[in-house]
Amino acid sequence: MAGSARGAALGWALLGDRGRCLSSCAVLALCTPKQRPPAPAPILSQQARPFLHLAAPLLGNKRMEYSEARVVGYSMKQMYNVVANIESYRLFVPWCNSSRVLSHRKGLMRAELEVGFSPLVERYISEISLSPHQIRAVCNDGRMFNHLETLWQFGPGRPGQPDTCTLDFSVSFEFKSILHSRLATLFFDEVVKQMVTAFEAQAKKLFGPQAEVLPRQRLQAARCG
């Protein structure tokens, strides 16, 4: 036992200052608590918002209107029959892919129409009211339009020419989404402005060349935005 103590004392004596340094370091190592690495700074998450949702308050939707009156070389009855034949719209109306009458009773018709082009195709129900000199169609149950209404009116043509009539067409529409609203100008130019011409061409296909209107004239055409 005494030998062991003397051996330890001799060891410390030989180490001298170095031994004291090691001893101090050992004490510090035992007494100093281990420091944890600093916690990473919290990452602030920012919820992404779709571009169209951001753009919606800035761009907005806009209702557009158009009206046109034209004297054509077909009778009021002939033009009325062309407009009232909803089933045939798919054959000649711009952008119309299909047209189907769902119900028909005196003075009122319900029809399903599909308009557009892939991938933007819209199918909607149109409520159509028919009177002797007027046909009005209102879009219901649609996803593309907030509002779509067309009105056809049929009046006498040139004096002394019973085989002519004044065809008065008006439409107002408003798309629901910003994406569809980008198509407003295209829809206006390719569909709305060509509508009367398309029905006039269909009348020619059904009844032959129209009577000469003297003087042939387009009474008015107006666009409102």
Side-chain angles (χ1 to χ4, degrees):
M1 188 81 176
S4 298
R6 285 194 297 271
L10 179 60
W12 285 111
L14 291 174
L15 289 172
D17 293 337
R18 185 178 177 186
R20 285 192 295 274
C21 178
L22 291 174
S23 177
S24 301
C25 290
V27 172
L28 287 173
L30 291 173
C31 297
T32 304
K34 185 180 293 184
Q35 295 183 354
R36 294 180 180 179
I43 299 175
L44 299 177
S45 62
Q46 207 168 16
Q47 188 174 0
R49 301 176 67 191
F51 169 75
L52 291 179
H53 182 68
L54 287 170
L58 300 177
L59 298 178
N61 292 337
K62 185 177 182 181
R63 182 169 296 191
M64 301 182 73
E65 299 176 351
Y66 176 84
S67 63
E68 177 181 344
R70 184 185 300 186
V71 176
V72 297
Y74 297 102
S75 68
M76 293 171 57
K77 182 178 180 181
Q78 286 175 323
M79 291 309 304
Y80 183 94
N81 289 338
V82 173
V83 177
N85 187 7
I86 311 299
E87 292 275 6
S88 68
Y89 280 15
R90 60 185 178 82
L91 302 175
F92 68 93
V93 173
W95 280 21
C96 184
N97 302 323
S98 69
S99 52
R100 183 167 63 98
V101 174
L102 303 177
S103 64
H104 189 192
R105 65 178 187 269
K106 187 176 180 180
L108 186 62
M109 186 186 303
R110 293 181 76 249
E112 182 186 67
L113 294 98
E114 183 181 280
V115 298
F117 54 89
S118 182
L120 299 175
V121 176
E122 162 74 343
R123 183 172 293 176
Y124 64 90
I125 304 299
S126 185
E127 302 282 351
I128 304 156
S129 57
L130 304 98
S131 59
H133 303 295
Q134 177 178 291
I135 297 176
R136 182 190 301 272
V138 179
C139 166
N140 290 320
D141 190 31
R143 293 170 298 175
M144 184 181 292
F145 296 100
N146 267 332
H147 168 82
L148 174 61
E149 180 175 346
T150 60
L151 176 65
W152 294 89
Q153 294 176 302
F154 312 89
R158 303 297 296 174
Q161 292 185 271
D163 52 356
T164 68
C165 74
T166 299
L167 190 59
D168 197 318
F169 168 73
S170 62
V171 59
S172 61
F173 65 94
E174 179 183 338
F175 287 103
K176 280 187 175 180
S177 74
I178 298 303
L179 177 60
H180 292 145
S181 292
R182 303 287 180 86
L183 300 174
T185 301
L186 179 62
F187 181 79
F188 192 90
D189 291 337
E190 297 296 327
V191 180
V192 173
K193 292 175 68 175
Q194 306 301 323
M195 193 68 73
V196 175
T197 300
F199 279 83
E200 197 175 357
Q202 179 68 3
K204 181 179 180 180
K205 182 177 178 181
L206 296 174
F207 309 120
Q210 59 182 305
E212 187 175 2
V213 179
L214 298 174
R216 182 168 179 80
Q217 63 183 129
R218 177 182 294 187
L219 299 181
Q220 62 179 3
R223 169 180 178 171
C224 305

